[in-house]
Amino acid sequence: MPDSKMDETKKKKKKTAECCGYPISIFFIVVNEFCERFSYYGMRAVLVLYFRYFLLWDDDLATSIYHAFVALCYLTPILGAIIADSWLGKFKTIIYLSIVYAVGQVVMAVSTIHDITDANRDGTPDNFTLHIALSMLGLVLIALGTGGIKPCVAAFGGDQFQEHQSRQLNTFFSVFYLCINAGSLLSTLITPVLRAQECGIHTQQQCYPLAFGVPAALMVVSLVVFIAGSGMYTKTAPEGNIMGSVCKCIWFALNNRFRHRSDIYPKREHWMDWAEEKYDKLLIAQIKMVLKVLFLYIPLPMFWTLFDQKGSRWTLQATTMTGDFGGFVLQPDQMQTVNPILILTLVPIMDRIIFPLIKKCGLNFSPLKRMTVGMLFAATAFIAAALVQMEIDKTLPNFPSSSESQLKVVNMHSESLIVTVPSQEPLLIGSFEVQHTSKHTTAVSHWCFTISSHVVFPQSSPDYITFDQQDIRLAFNTTPEINKDLSLIKGSRQTLIIPSEPAEMYLKEDIKSKPKEGKNAVRFVNGWTAYLNITNLESSLQPSETSNYTLVSQGMRKFTLTDGIQSCEFSRKFGFGSSYTFLIPSDLFSTDCESIKEIEDMQPNSVHMALQIPQYFLITTGEVMFSVTGLQFSYSQAPKNMKSVLQAGWLCTNAVGNIIVLIVAELGKLPKQWAEYVLFASLLVAVSIIFSIMAYFYTYIDPAEIEAEILKQQETDPDKKKKKETLEMEEKENEQEIKQTKI
Ligand SMILES: NCCCC[C@H](N)C(=O)NCC(=O)O
């Protein structure tokens, strides 16, 4: 559309399409953002699980691809911004890239339908390559779409406001942020529920197609809503290959500065002024504005480095805590929903109460000051996380160091045994059977025996004896005496199972870290005289055999034990993060499973997840001050033809932050998690001090005003054309000089 015609349209819209001082077109943009964020975060919520349990990738591959995808989503904004500002304009870019995005979501949803390759109908796909190829294609399209439109939507929203609506413009960015978080909150709650449903044509499986299909549908809705508002938008036309001109102008300025490096040439105020001979003052001024802001962005990725650990380190921390809130149980990964919930409450509180109050007190809480304070809040959040970690560490088992081994002995033999352990007093190990029979007569204090029940060790771990040598010899007081040479695994916990026939004793490796995702690890030792089938176990257990650990979730769990003829049921309530070995006695069926005894290998988590709320509160307060303000700042300080580019620059700080998380996760493992949190907090404090110094020297500008002034000057500048001609002549002369010198 020609400029003059577009301006006319704008003027008409100004009068007709306003409600309470806001352009009505904003409604379509915020609804579009809500649906898009629902689509994005909903898909992200189940992505790792899809990799892990559908594509059957291991944990490392699943998390690496996941983080690579997130990083890509924050790198593509620069592409979207270039397309919008230089070629298609924001409106068309949003439409075209949203189509790419929606197609990506649909491809992703299709890739999760196991029936498309399950020819033998066994419930698992037959052609994993096809599913992987489709999902990777889907993810690349999604990254291109979501990243591409991201800088355009916020900037396009800003474009809808007129000069007299600057107060409404600030509120818009807050509402925009609220919509992002409302969308993300709803989808993060809904999509995991959809995944947990069972669906399928030939066999019923976890319903990934629904979990990915609903976000795909929301993306289509987002596109339709955006197009529906088409007639009401203020659309600014792209101004040609602006990025190309910017790069050429910067290159020329640097080159020209180098050519005039001698002291005989008078200095210029700014190095970009060395482009004046060839380029418009307006373009130079615009580039100066953008560079000043981009320079300020340099320290910002550190904020995102801390912020994005909510989803990784903090969720892992939650898996070592208990989420039992009495009436309901919160899963560790659900703790992340605290962030959008707090955003929904904190943004209005800040906008309506805190910021106006600060203003009333006469304090100048400028955007850059807010961002600095936001960084400090995030640093404090990490101190809070470190304090919580210290509490958790107190409750964690004392795992062996890499040079130590730990051993526990379980006696399934019918008599007590005395074992002589190197550098220990001889230990009495009560018999499982003896103790079982004396359970009700209280002849022994602990019917669930381990050696530790009877002997006090100098070691700090009560259930295990810790050795700092690998090869040990144990002597048992049987007739004849049994001597057992053991080769212990360094850095590991092992249990020596003494079956009914003591000479057949064997070592079994124990769990040596907290079970994943707050689950509980359980295993069974079969003291029954025949093989046993137990629900949830991979295979049946031979007599005297010990099963591998199996993971069970929190809550009441039921196990059915059967030898093919008789069966009984064993139920137990589990908390979070515990581990048990269940000993099956020889009178299993006559006692209806009641005689099963348990050994606690690892106690359940006892620090409550509610203790994470302060750190979530602090980081979210930091986010409101830093992120919402940063979004507004990036828009307000950008020249009109580079608004999307600066939004993209802002989003790139997030991508760099994510990449730092990836690098730190690989390299920078400190031995203590709380120390790592303190390190990150200190780094952010240092960075925020640097940022505040940079911010101190930054002068806020009104790009529109500067642009208008330069245009006015240019109109009355007769030298402009002459300058260009002189420069071209100079260049030609230079080239000739070079040629002559060569000759
Ligand atoms: N599942 C957590 C979502 C957090 C969203 C976060 N608070 C946010 O607003 N991010 C900005 C965005 O554009 O997504």
Side-chain angles (χ1 to χ4, degrees):
M1 194 191 296
D3 277 359
S4 55
K5 210 172 173 189
M6 195 174 306
D7 284 347
E8 261 177 48
T9 339
K10 262 195 226 173
K11 275 173 209 156
K12 266 184 218 157
K13 301 250 168 69
K14 251 185 265 172
K15 278 179 196 148
T16 54
E18 271 187 24
C19 174
C20 314
Y22 290 85
I24 288 192
S25 53
I26 285 307
F27 167 80
F28 295 93
I29 294 171
V30 292
V31 174
N32 157 274
E33 183 67 8
F34 169 86
C35 298
E36 188 276 320
R37 289 287 96 182
F38 183 112
S39 176
Y40 174 72
Y41 282 112
M43 181 270 308
R44 245 178 72 163
V46 284
L47 191 58
V48 174
L49 297 178
Y50 166 73
F51 290 157
R52 185 70 191 83
Y53 301 111
F54 186 99
L55 296 181
L56 304 178
W57 288 350
D58 63 25
D59 279 1
D60 287 344
L61 183 61
T63 39
S64 300
I65 300 289
Y66 172 81
H67 282 295
F69 166 70
V70 175
L72 189 64
C73 290
Y74 282 103
L75 283 174
T76 44
I78 200 81
L79 197 69
I82 293 173
I83 297 176
D85 283 348
S86 316
W87 179 27
L88 291 177
K90 296 181 197 87
F91 177 72
K92 280 188 186 161
T93 308
I94 295 170
I95 299 222
Y96 294 155
L97 287 180
S98 293
I99 294 172
V100 172
Y101 189 171
V103 171
Q105 287 282 32
V106 171
V107 171
M108 189 67 209
V110 170
S111 84
T112 67
I113 304 174
H114 68 273
D115 288 302
I116 57 175
T117 65
D118 189 11
N120 59 6
R121 301 184 179 189
D122 66 349
T124 31
D126 300 340
N127 186 352
F128 275 101
T129 318
L130 179 73
H131 289 275
I132 293 173
L134 278 177
S135 54
M136 291 305 107
L137 173 68
L139 287 180
V140 169
L141 294 178
I142 293 169
L144 203 64
T146 185
I149 63 171
K150 193 121 187 69
C152 306
V153 179
F156 189 65
D159 289 352
Q160 305 309 307
F161 291 84
Q162 308 302 322
E163 264 169 40
H164 67 279
Q165 293 171 311
S166 61
R167 189 182 55 79
Q168 285 90 339
L169 177 64
N170 280 345
T171 312
F172 159 71
F173 283 111
S174 300
V175 174
F176 189 74
Y177 216 79
L178 283 180
C179 288
I180 290 175
N181 284 275
S184 98
L185 173 63
L186 275 185
S187 66
T188 318
L189 291 174
I190 292 172
T191 43
V193 176
L194 298 178
R195 178 194 57 89
Q197 311 303 310
E198 296 216 322
C199 62
I201 304 167
H202 305 310
T203 54
Q204 296 293 300
Q205 302 294 326
Q206 293 233 340
C207 207
Y208 287 105
L210 193 59
F212 284 98
V214 170
L218 259 287
M219 193 51 223
V220 175
V221 174
S222 161
L223 179 60
V224 171
V225 170
F226 187 73
I227 294 174
S230 178
M232 299 187 192
Y233 298 134
T234 298
K235 299 169 195 161
T236 42
E239 298 190 7
N241 185 3
I242 185 78
M243 282 314 284
S245 314
V246 168
C247 294
K248 279 186 201 155
C249 182
I250 292 177
W251 177 245
F252 179 82
L254 289 170
N255 232 349
N256 202 25
R257 172 75 190 89
F258 184 74
R259 273 192 284 157
H260 297 88
R261 63 189 175 283
S262 161
D263 283 346
I264 56 165
Y265 297 106
K267 293 225 161 15
R268 295 185 188 180
E269 207 184 313
H270 192 283
W271 61 268
M272 271 307 301
D273 294 335
W274 287 95
E276 266 175 3
E277 283 90 337
K278 189 172 177 185
Y279 289 90
D280 252 7
K281 266 200 168 143
L282 180 63
L283 181 67
I284 294 171
Q286 287 170 329
I287 295 176
K288 279 190 203 167
M289 294 180 219
V290 170
L291 289 180
K292 261 171 78 179
V293 179
L294 287 180
F295 177 68
L296 263 187
Y297 284 171
I298 293 172
L300 303 190
M302 199 61 212
F303 173 87
W304 298 115
T305 302
L306 271 75
F307 183 79
D308 285 321
Q309 292 191 42
K310 282 192 300 46
S312 49
R313 291 267 196 275
W314 286 14
T315 305
L316 288 179
Q317 185 183 59
T319 64
T320 58
M321 305 172 87
T322 169
D324 191 347
F325 281 78
F328 68 99
V329 174
L330 202 67
Q331 296 303 323
D333 47 352
Q334 287 177 323
M335 202 56 204
Q336 282 185 59
T337 52
V338 173
N339 168 257
I341 293 174
L342 282 174
I343 287 277
L344 292 179
T345 43
L346 281 177
V347 168
I349 292 177
M350 292 281 184
D351 270 7
R352 303 267 161 221
I353 304 171
I354 309 288
F355 293 148
L357 217 65
I358 293 175
K359 205 172 171 190
K360 250 191 187 161
C361 294
L363 295 171
N364 171 20
F365 204 27
S366 66
L368 294 178
K369 280 187 193 156
R370 276 187 212 179
M371 288 169 74
T372 314
V373 174
M375 284 168 140
L376 293 175
F377 265 102
T380 345
F382 266 60
I383 297 293
L387 293 174
V388 170
Q389 191 61 46
M390 285 176 191
E391 278 309 301
I392 294 171
D393 286 352
K394 285 184 203 159
T395 67
L396 289 180
N398 179 34
F399 294 115
S401 68
S402 56
S403 61
E404 289 175 337
S405 328
Q406 288 181 336
L407 180 72
K408 177 153 75 176
V409 184
V410 168
N411 182 7
M412 304 285 285
H413 179 50
S414 54
E415 287 168 24
S416 297
L417 291 172
I418 291 177
V419 58
T420 311
V421 180
S423 66
Q424 302 280 337
E425 292 289 307
L427 311 171
L428 172 73
I429 309 175
S431 156
F432 172 68
E433 299 295 340
V434 170
Q435 287 177 28
H436 162 57
T437 50
S438 59
K439 178 179 166 189
H440 300 294
T441 56
T442 60
V444 283
S445 54
H446 299 270
W447 52 262
C448 167
F449 73 95
T450 62
I451 39 180
S452 63
S453 309
H454 307 275
V455 186
V456 177
F457 296 114
Q459 283 83 4
S460 48
S461 169
D463 283 344
Y464 287 86
I465 317 172
T466 305
F467 296 96
D468 53 13
Q469 76 266 42
Q470 195 168 1
D471 298 313
I472 57 161
R473 165 165 284 214
L474 301 184
F476 293 87
N477 68 324
T478 47
T479 24
E481 188 184 272
I482 297 174
N483 287 305
K484 182 79 179 169
D485 289 318
L486 299 177
S487 182
L488 301 176
I489 304 170
K490 294 238 178 249
S492 201
R493 294 180 138 191
Q494 285 167 283
T495 296
L496 181 67
I497 309 278
I498 305 168
S500 51
E501 199 49 67
E504 288 168 12
M505 66 180 76
Y506 61 92
L507 273 178
K508 188 85 186 166
E509 199 169 348
D510 299 354
I511 190 163
K512 60 176 182 211
S513 59
K514 279 273 174 191
K516 283 183 184 168
E517 297 165 13
K519 292 197 170 152
N520 304 279
V522 298
R523 64 180 177 181
F524 290 83
V525 185
N526 185 5
W528 172 240
T529 46
Y531 84 91
L532 276 178
N533 266 329
I534 305 174
T535 42
N536 293 329
L537 296 194
E538 282 163 16
S539 55
S540 58
L541 270 186
Q542 296 304 317
S544 302
E545 195 188 355
T546 303
S547 71
N548 292 328
Y549 283 105
T550 187
L551 292 180
V552 294
S553 307
Q554 173 276 342
M556 188 60 97
R557 300 285 152 234
K558 201 158 67 177
F559 301 89
T560 308
L561 292 81
T562 172
D563 63 357
I565 302 164
Q566 315 165 77
S567 69
C568 62
E569 267 179 8
F570 165 63
S571 304
R572 194 193 190 284
K573 195 171 178 197
F574 292 93
F576 289 86
S578 66
S579 171
Y580 294 94
T581 301
F582 293 112
L583 307 177
I584 300 168
S586 55
D587 59 354
L588 172 73
F589 295 114
S590 60
T591 60
D592 201 21
C593 276
E594 280 196 9
S595 50
I596 292 176
K597 302 294 176 282
E598 68 182 32
I599 299 176
E600 192 180 77
D601 296 336
M602 208 174 283
Q603 68 179 44
N605 303 343
S606 53
V607 178
H608 205 278
M609 274 184 214
L611 280 189
Q612 277 196 326
I613 291 176
Q615 69 204 54
Y616 270 99
F617 176 78
L618 289 166
I619 202 124
T620 312
T621 310
E623 182 188 355
V624 175
M625 296 208 172
F626 180 89
S627 188
V628 183
T629 314
L631 206 65
Q632 294 164 359
F633 176 79
S634 305
Y635 184 83
S636 71
Q637 299 298 291
K640 79 172 185 315
N641 54 352
M642 295 184 212
K643 299 244 183 238
S644 311
V645 170
L646 219 46
Q647 287 290 326
W650 166 253
L651 293 166
C652 269
T653 64
N654 200 324
V656 178
N658 263 286
I659 292 167
I660 298 177
V661 179
L662 270 177
I663 297 169
V664 170
E666 289 299 320
L667 302 177
K669 274 266 5 80
L670 288 183
K672 290 279 174 209
Q673 184 57 59
W674 65 263
E676 194 179 292
Y677 288 143
V678 173
L679 175 71
F680 275 120
S682 319
L683 283 175
L684 190 56
V685 170
V687 165
S688 59
I689 292 171
I690 296 171
F691 180 71
S692 65
I693 297 169
M694 289 162 79
Y696 179 77
F697 291 103
Y698 183 85
T699 325
Y700 293 91
I701 50 157
D702 181 348
E705 212 170 82
I706 297 177
E707 284 164 346
E709 209 164 281
I710 293 173
L711 279 175
K712 215 169 162 191
Q713 275 174 17
Q714 277 185 345
E715 273 165 23
T716 53
D717 185 3
D719 286 349
K720 202 181 140 199
K721 211 176 154 198
K722 223 169 112 189
K723 267 187 202 166
K724 260 192 195 168
E725 284 168 5
T726 323
L727 184 88
E728 277 161 17
M729 285 217 343
E730 249 184 47
E731 274 181 355
K732 270 184 198 159
E733 278 168 18
N734 276 347
E735 276 167 24
Q736 273 174 0
E737 255 176 49
I738 294 166
K739 271 184 200 164
Q740 276 172 3
T741 333
K742 273 185 188 165
I743 294 163

